[in-house]
Amino acid sequence: MVASDRISAFDYILPDEIPYKGEILTRISAFWFNRFKDLMPNHLITMDVSEYPEEYQKYGEYLTGRSMLVKKAKTVPIECIVRGYLTGSGKKTYDQDGTVCGIKLPAGLTEASKIPEPIFTPSTKAALGDHDENISFERCAEIVGEDVAAQLRDASLKLYTAAAEYALTRGIIIADTKFEFGFIDGKLTLIDEALTPDSSRFWPADGYEPGKVQPSYDKQWRAAPPARRGRQGYLGALSGGLRDHHWREVHPHEGVKCLCVKPLMLPRGRRRRQTRPSRRRTRRTRPTKMSARASRSAPSRVRSLRARLRRACAL
């Protein structure tokens, strides 16, 4: 299993890579696999490339740090999402009817409010190119069976609770996360990635304030509407093109590091689409004034964003 350095923005895969992104995500997963191996079996065999099959040795330089040799599992077709705080799609449905995936929550919760108890909110595991769909626990049980659904729920809540407690001691709030499971030799097993910025929302605990969208060390800025995204970045958790003082050891024995940096400054999204002024003018109307930024074409704005990302990721 290999993690690349590629990144997408606005449904577009950028041609430039974020240095060491794949390596950071892989090492974070390995840290959690090792920490929770007594709570839940996982598919990791080794990250030592010298122990990989012979045919992979010629790719050793690239695979080192960003790959895992894992056990093959029969994947359960459910995305196991656990939410500890109200945000994202859960906040939207809560505002509509007071529920999240069919689970009734107390009245009066706002953006980023802590949920009294973490909740299990599964989704379908869609095919490539399709979107996952949030479902109720009852629908999950219909898909995989009541026994398997109960195992997924209990394992997900147990792992999230343990991870959230540990992360809080390191100044990080895990607002929500997604797990994937499979069966190996008949036993439910944690697979894929675990508790990375690509599968979780990480918030800095020292600036936590309910009632507003939180700054984050994850990839959520890409999914947020431009008007909300503003200047918030996500390279605080992923970018490798940073100076040594940005790094902080969290597990010296395993050599795993995390990042604590200022967000990348990105151009603000526009709240309203502006059109070019009409060429027909009369005395009663004045031509619409447009800033240079507003009059730029979409391709030009994409090129500008790509240039900013390249400069931010430069070593």
Side-chain angles (χ1 to χ4, degrees), residues 6-9 12-17 302 305-306 309:
R6 293 185 303 173
I7 182 176
S8 63
Y12 176 77
I13 299 178
L14 300 177
D16 303 297
E17 298 180 340
V302 170
L305 173 60
R306 286 164 55 183
L309 285 172

Side-chain angles (χ1 to χ4, degrees), residues 276-282:
R276 294 184 179 276
S278 172
R279 293 185 179 183
R280 299 179 61 184
R281 300 178 183 178
T282 65

Side-chain angles (χ1 to χ4, degrees), residues 169-185:
T169 67
R170 296 297 189 265
I172 297 292
I173 292 173
I174 303 179
D176 53 37
T177 193
K178 177 203 71 176
F179 297 110
E180 293 194 38
F181 296 92
F183 282 94
I184 299 177
D185 297 330

Side-chain angles (χ1 to χ4, degrees), residues 197-262:
D198 268 13
S199 64
S200 314
R201 282 186 174 92
F202 292 154
W203 297 340
D206 57 1
Y208 171 65
E209 184 180 345
K212 66 178 184 179
V213 176
Q214 307 298 303
S216 61
Y217 296 144
D218 51 57
K219 70 173 187 178
Q220 291 303 320
W221 73 272
R222 291 181 295 169
R228 277 182 46 201
R229 182 164 53 246
R231 294 180 180 268
Q232 181 178 331
Y234 107 117
L235 295 185
L238 296 182
S239 175
L242 302 169
R243 301 295 180 258
D244 290 341
H245 67 274
H246 290 126
W247 293 84
R248 178 164 59 91
E249 290 278 0
V250 296
H251 194 51
H253 177 68
E254 295 293 335
V256 179
K257 298 179 179 181
C258 74
L259 295 171
C260 185
V261 302
K262 293 182 179 180

Side-chain angles (χ1 to χ4, degrees), residues 95-120:
D95 289 342
Q96 294 171 0
D97 56 18
T99 68
V100 177
C101 292
I103 301 174
K104 188 71 175 178
L105 296 181
L109 299 181
T110 62
E111 171 66 39
S113 289
K114 185 174 182 179
I115 300 172
E117 293 291 337
I119 57 176
F120 176 67

Side-chain angles (χ1 to χ4, degrees), residues 146-162:
E146 293 185 5
D147 181 60
V148 173
Q151 289 186 60
L152 295 176
R153 178 191 60 198
D154 295 346
S156 299
L157 291 172
K158 178 172 62 176
L159 289 170
Y160 171 81
T161 300

